[in-house]
Amino acid sequence: MSWPLYEVFVRGKRGLNHVHVGSLHAPDAETALHNARDLYTRRNEGVSIWVVRSADITASSPDEKDAFFDPSADKVYRHPTFYSIPDDVPHI
Amino acid sequence: MSSFDEIIAADQRVEPRDEMPEGYRKTMVRQIAQHAHSEIIGMQPEGYWITRAPSLRRKAILLAKVQDEAGHGLYLYAAAETLGVDRADLTERLITGRQKYSSIFNYPTLGYADVGVIGWLVDGAAICNQVPLCRSSFGPYARAMIRICKEESFHQRQGYELLMTMMRGTDAQREMVQDAVDRWWWPSLMMFGPPDANSPNTAQSMAWKIKRHTNDELRQKFVDMTVPQAEKLGVTLPDPELRWNPERGHYDFGEPDWDELKRVISGDGPCNAERLERRRRAHEDGAWVREAALAHARKHAREKEAAR
């Protein structure tokens, strides 16, 4: 009988996304939040924390990485560098 | 970029769900777990001085430092768990002596100056070891090491500052510092592990880019770094063979007592039994808290469910 695992995400400062920093065990989400504060923000590393049960995360599989991301690999026209514009056209 | 070998060759990071050789996985679990255990056991020698530190300021600093060690242990256990091992199982392996921790924490802290010397020498040696691990090939380990290294710098500086303060004090205080240096110098050199010729795992770990430098390279780096710091502090390092070698561009130094290292690693150091017993007792004494917290969480989850 052990405490479930939670993944911890910290917003470093206003204007930034929450970023995954690690995980910890806790009996419930509320305690996970307090423990995450003590563990991952001892030196003002954050202004906001999310915790989520690790078991609740659905992740893409590395085995399917190629098939999963292939559809975007051949769409070069999605990138600005695909389009050639004469050098003398300003601000583009 | 897919196979393990390609990832290693390209100096990319291996992530937990990637395919990896069984030997790599086992080595990573063992190394990260032993590193985590070292941080947790490492709380004891200094924790002993929290109530005995001479001022509120020094108590607060030491408390923060020991809290960091706990944090480092937890970052590392979390990294080990990404490989599918169970945290409770790792704790069990530590307290039953099936997994080891750094030999350095099996030496006693006999005086308050030991706190300073641990910060300066032991954490200094740890930094030498750990900075290259920030580029270790296993992603979760490398990321944990980056966090840890940022915090270790505080540890080393607080130790050196403590010693500078004592060296400006009375003769008795200076003697305490020298005595602590005399006792911790050789065990600190042993922290880098056996000499390369007797380190059978080094070649494989370097090939897998888990390790970036050999034990002897890191030990030399530590000696070169520390000698000028000792001179500034005004203490003598207890090694008659220690001298600058202009041809090598490094300090020469004497051979640590490798038999002593073997004895301490195999359980026969001055404090091995005491450290493990204390950890075991803390784990067992805390069992009711872990159980009560879980029972409380379950009860509230049921109540929430019923209120829907």
Side-chain angles (χ1 to χ4, degrees):
Chain A
M1 186 184 75
S2 63
W3 293 351
L5 194 62
Y6 286 82
E7 299 299 325
V8 181
F9 301 78
V10 171
R11 185 199 295 284
K13 57 181 179 185
R14 289 188 164 278
L16 298 181
N17 287 320
H18 286 78
V19 174
H20 182 246
V21 293
S23 62
L24 51 76
H25 288 272
D28 56 39
E30 201 61 35
T31 319
L33 211 48
H34 282 101
N35 291 356
R37 177 201 58 194
D38 293 343
L39 184 55
Y40 289 104
T41 61
R42 286 197 301 284
R43 291 180 175 81
N44 309 316
E45 291 97 335
V47 295
S48 165
I49 301 177
W50 291 345
V51 292
V52 58
R53 282 278 287 264
S54 308
D56 290 340
I57 290 182
T58 308
S60 66
S61 156
D63 304 337
E64 298 158 8
K65 180 175 150 288
D66 291 341
F68 195 73
F69 292 103
D70 261 357
S72 74
D74 60 354
K75 294 177 181 60
V76 283
Y77 48 84
R78 284 182 172 164
H79 297 276
T81 46
F82 178 74
Y83 304 93
S84 51
I85 307 279
D87 287 346
D88 54 0
V89 179
H91 306 304
I92 185 160
Chain B
M1 177 74 50
S2 51
S3 85
F4 176 82
D5 291 336
E6 283 166 351
I7 292 173
I8 297 292
D11 224 348
Q12 299 262 326
R13 297 289 175 267
V14 178
E15 293 298 336
R17 295 175 71 207
D18 290 335
E19 274 181 43
M20 60 188 89
E22 197 43 38
Y24 179 88
R25 176 185 298 274
K26 275 196 181 137
T27 302
M28 280 329 304
V29 168
R30 194 187 60 231
Q31 181 170 338
I32 300 173
Q34 289 183 357
H35 196 158
H37 298 331
S38 302
E39 298 282 357
I40 296 298
I41 295 286
M43 297 165 74
Q44 293 184 33
E46 290 178 283
Y48 180 80
W49 285 93
I50 291 174
T51 54
R52 297 168 173 85
S55 65
L56 185 58
R57 176 171 177 268
R58 295 291 176 186
K59 284 180 170 67
I61 291 171
L62 193 51
L63 191 61
K65 195 192 162 203
V66 172
Q67 196 186 7
D68 274 354
E69 315 287 2
H72 296 177
L74 295 179
Y75 303 156
L76 288 161
Y77 281 129
E81 281 185 295
T82 64
L83 288 169
V85 291
D86 177 56
R87 160 88 169 277
D89 181 49
L90 295 179
T91 302
E92 195 61 31
R93 287 192 210 184
L94 168 65
I95 58 184
T96 53
R98 278 177 296 155
Q99 269 178 345
K100 307 217 178 293
Y101 55 88
S102 176
S103 57
I104 193 77
F105 302 116
N106 291 316
Y107 292 88
T109 41
L110 301 180
Y112 177 63
D114 289 39
V115 171
V117 170
I118 286 178
W120 173 39
L121 295 181
V122 175
D123 293 319
I127 290 172
C128 276
N129 260 331
Q130 290 173 350
V131 167
L133 293 175
C134 296
R135 294 186 296 122
S136 169
S137 59
F138 186 57
Y141 190 39
R143 293 191 287 272
M145 291 317 306
I146 290 171
R147 302 185 73 85
I148 290 173
C149 284
K150 276 188 197 160
E151 299 179 354
E152 287 290 349
S153 165
F154 142 61
H155 296 181
Q156 197 191 16
R157 289 172 67 106
Q158 69 82 31
Y160 196 80
E161 188 249 18
L162 190 164
L163 296 177
M164 287 197 315
T165 308
M166 287 187 77
M167 290 302 283
R168 283 196 301 266
T170 64
D171 283 344
Q173 286 176 312
R174 278 186 285 277
E175 275 165 34
M176 279 174 73
V177 174
Q178 184 61 56
D179 172 60
V181 170
D182 290 346
R183 283 180 290 107
W184 287 95
W185 172 248
W186 292 107
S188 298
L189 290 188
M190 293 176 199
M191 285 176 68
F192 298 93
D196 293 349
N198 285 330
S199 178
N201 299 326
T202 292
Q204 181 62 77
S205 285
M206 303 260 296
W208 277 333
K209 297 184 182 171
I210 296 170
K211 262 175 105 152
R212 298 286 181 158
H213 305 284
T214 70
N215 297 352
D216 286 336
E217 285 168 10
L218 292 166
R219 194 167 7 249
Q220 180 72 60
K221 188 168 177 246
F222 172 69
V223 171
D224 290 347
M225 204 178 83
T226 306
V227 173
Q229 294 170 350
E231 284 166 4
K232 271 263 180 269
L233 197 57
V235 295
T236 309
L237 298 173
D239 179 358
E241 292 175 52
L242 186 70
R243 65 177 59 85
W244 177 250
N245 182 333
E247 278 161 43
R248 292 202 309 127
H250 292 291
Y251 285 92
D252 289 340
F253 56 98
E255 194 81 10
D257 180 351
W258 298 120
D259 290 336
E260 176 181 325
L261 176 64
K262 250 184 234 159
R263 278 199 307 278
V264 177
I265 287 182
S266 61
D268 198 18
C271 302
N272 294 55
E274 179 188 334
R275 300 286 187 244
L276 272 188
E277 170 58 19
R278 176 107 188 257
R279 180 67 193 93
R280 191 187 58 75
R281 206 165 4 106
H283 183 65
E284 287 171 5
D285 289 352
W288 74 269
V289 180
R290 294 191 295 275
E291 285 159 21
L294 198 58
H296 179 79
R298 282 179 180 159
K299 183 178 153 206
H300 277 267
R302 276 198 304 273
E303 283 170 3
K304 235 179 170 174
E305 196 59 37
R308 273 194 192 167

